[in-house]
Amino acid sequence: MTMSEGKYNIKAVSKKLGIQPGTLRAWERRYNIISPIRNEAGHRLYSEEHMSILKWLVQKTEQGFTISQAVELLESGEASADSRSIDMSMGQDRANMLADEILEALLAFDENKAQDLLNQAFSIFSIDKVVHDILAKLLVRVGDLWEEEKITIAHEHFTSAFLRSRIGMIFHTLPVDGYLPKVMTVCSPGEYHELGLLIFTLYLRRKGFEVIYLGSSIPETDIEVIVEDTDPKILFLSCTLLKNLPRCLDFVDTLDNKFPELTVGIGGSAIAHVDNEKRQAYESFCVGNVRDEWDIWIKDKLQNLTF
């Protein structure tokens, strides 16, 4: 394939597509899909055609395909839109089935079976699909079951501990992109539900951010001290319980006033209940609760940051 003149360096491609430079290099080396030209200094330069191919591949991995499956589709050119749609539907059905089976195993306190099923999920789907379409949905379902008093606190604690452990294992294997700003994530004051925050933290780490994860039960004064000591550029607060929302918003105001250079984001199910009078004042802080909303918020804030 003849490619037009190189236009984007690897940092620009990484930012535009939300893919880490190391991943780009690995794709090039392993699958030979594209061959960026090199400038006189030996740096990669990517053309518009390269960008189109990479964007398509990223979209496929976000839909649940592994990169090898996406490359096979790209190279074959035989998969119609209808057949790809059917494949995606079947994949989603399989993901839902595995989520059901994992939940059943966890509620039966069968950790070995749950581990085997989750390993199976990782062998079939991309990390992003497992995290967002299986683990994240499991967290919501367990929370709902507990609130409806259909499971005991013991069931909720056992399931949460299992999921927290697996998410932590993934988190520590992901590389950091030194070009991105340092981020801190912490539960809002009074919050103790941290698994949703863990999912969001993993999303950030997949993007290549260096993340300081503080979790739950951290006093406001301690958070302020850590911000002063570590100087993150962005701080995310998670608030899931409605009773904690006023305290969360007050703390956002405190941080915004005390650290004018710090970008603050807030997420969690309680944020949707900000009353109309305050909604406009806090709209710019609201990160959203789904990945597409997260992408938009992050992209917008990064454009205004200097780091």
Side-chain angles (χ1 to χ4, degrees), residues 86-127:
I86 291 170
D87 288 341
M88 287 169 57
S89 176
M90 291 176 63
Q92 188 58 51
D93 288 344
R94 181 57 179 149
N96 291 336
M97 186 183 302
L98 280 168
D100 289 340
E101 293 174 353
I102 292 169
L103 180 60
E104 183 180 348
L106 290 171
L107 294 182
F109 299 98
D110 190 342
E111 184 174 355
N112 288 334
K113 184 176 180 180
Q115 293 281 17
D116 289 341
L117 289 166
L118 193 52
N119 289 339
Q120 187 181 144
F122 279 115
S123 71
I124 299 172
F125 303 113
S126 66
I127 290 178

Side-chain angles (χ1 to χ4, degrees), residues 252-271:
V252 169
D253 291 336
T254 299
L255 291 170
D256 195 42
N257 291 326
K258 187 170 183 178
F259 304 100
E261 299 300 318
L262 178 67
T263 297
V264 179
I266 50 176
S269 55
I271 304 304

